[in-house]
Amino acid sequence: MAIRLVVGLGNPGKEYERTRHNAGFWLVERFAKASGVVLRKDGKFQALVGRHDATSAWLLLPQSFMNASGRPVQMLAGFFKIKPDEILVVHDELDFPPGVARVKQGGGIAGHNGLKDISQRLATHEYWRLRLGVGKPPPGREGADYVLEKPPAEEKAAIDGAIEKCLAVLPQMLAADMQGAMNKLHTEDKPPAKKEPPEKKAPPVEEPPRKQPEPEKKGLFSGLLGRKK
């Protein structure tokens, strides 16, 4: 089934736009820009909304803050009769390091407040999710504080790289080829296997030739001594 609604999760406002929690916004904004889609504020849906002309899919950035993301999704999906399995939610993921992205349908929400509200509003977990790794917080740090910080330059570059990979397969998702998109994205995430050099076989060890026992020499005296009188 084709994806008819792509939702990017994040928090509105300048103070949040560069934080890890806005990774979902980053991807959808870049897809909209690359596709020539204008995202306009729609008060009815409490979101920035645009339509992807090539596929007629809706792009949605909730402007109601993360923990209330479900209401704009529920309202737009209800208005256009979009089923949960036709929705793709793009969000930050603590369980993956920066640079990794994964697609899945349903499953646990791992304490993500945006997903929690969407699942409650839709009364199901069975929508699609595009998870952008942002890494785990260091020991002693709360995840809620960690995601509201700006990633350092190296991490941001890795996240941007993962977003580029996702943008390359997003058209497949919109065209209902979820499995093909997953196969391509998940394969590219894996580091190439190291080729082990072929095992060198040691040359066979040649045993030195065995010495043949010398024949016993029977001299004159041995012959004489060996005779019986």
Side-chain angles (χ1 to χ4, degrees), residues 16-125:
Y16 298 111
E17 64 184 11
R18 295 185 182 179
T19 63
R20 294 180 177 95
H21 224 14
N22 276 37
F25 272 16
W26 299 344
L27 188 147
V28 174
E29 286 168 348
R30 283 167 64 173
F31 180 67
K33 185 175 181 180
S35 306
V37 177
V38 178
L39 298 171
R40 294 187 175 88
K41 191 162 186 176
D42 190 316
K44 178 174 60 179
F45 297 126
Q46 294 182 317
L48 295 176
V49 181
R51 195 164 195 185
H52 186 247
D53 289 337
T55 61
S56 297
W58 291 97
L59 309 183
L60 178 77
L61 299 181
Q63 300 294 292
S64 50
F65 288 98
M66 186 65 80
N67 59 358
S69 300
R71 190 168 184 270
V73 176
Q74 178 191 30
M75 291 178 66
L76 190 141
F79 187 82
F80 292 108
K81 295 180 172 51
I82 299 172
K83 299 174 184 176
D85 61 357
E86 297 173 320
I87 300 173
L88 175 68
V89 179
V90 188
H91 64 90
D92 55 307
E93 177 61 72
L94 293 174
D95 287 339
F96 299 142
V100 172
R102 291 283 187 272
V103 181
K104 70 179 293 187
Q105 184 180 20
I109 58 177
H112 194 292
N113 286 332
L115 298 176
K116 181 180 178 182
D117 195 56
I118 291 172
S119 294
Q120 287 178 346
R121 292 278 185 173
L122 298 180
T124 182
H125 293 300

Side-chain angles (χ1 to χ4, degrees), residues 141-214:
R141 293 295 312 281
E142 291 291 331
D145 295 330
Y146 175 78
V147 295
L148 292 178
E149 294 174 351
K150 298 175 185 177
E154 188 176 347
E155 289 184 16
K156 179 61 165 60
I159 296 169
D160 286 341
I163 288 174
E164 285 298 322
K165 294 177 193 173
C166 293
L167 293 178
V169 299
L170 193 53
Q172 285 179 265
M173 299 185 203
L174 297 179
D177 185 13
M178 296 301 289
Q179 191 59 52
M182 290 168 68
N183 291 344
K184 186 173 182 182
L185 182 64
H186 296 182
T187 301
E188 287 183 356
D189 278 342
K190 295 177 182 176
K194 291 183 179 179
K195 291 184 178 180
E196 297 292 337
E199 186 179 348
K200 292 182 179 179
K201 293 183 179 180
V205 178
E206 294 185 6
E207 294 186 6
R210 294 182 182 179
K211 290 184 179 180
Q212 298 294 328
E214 294 184 6

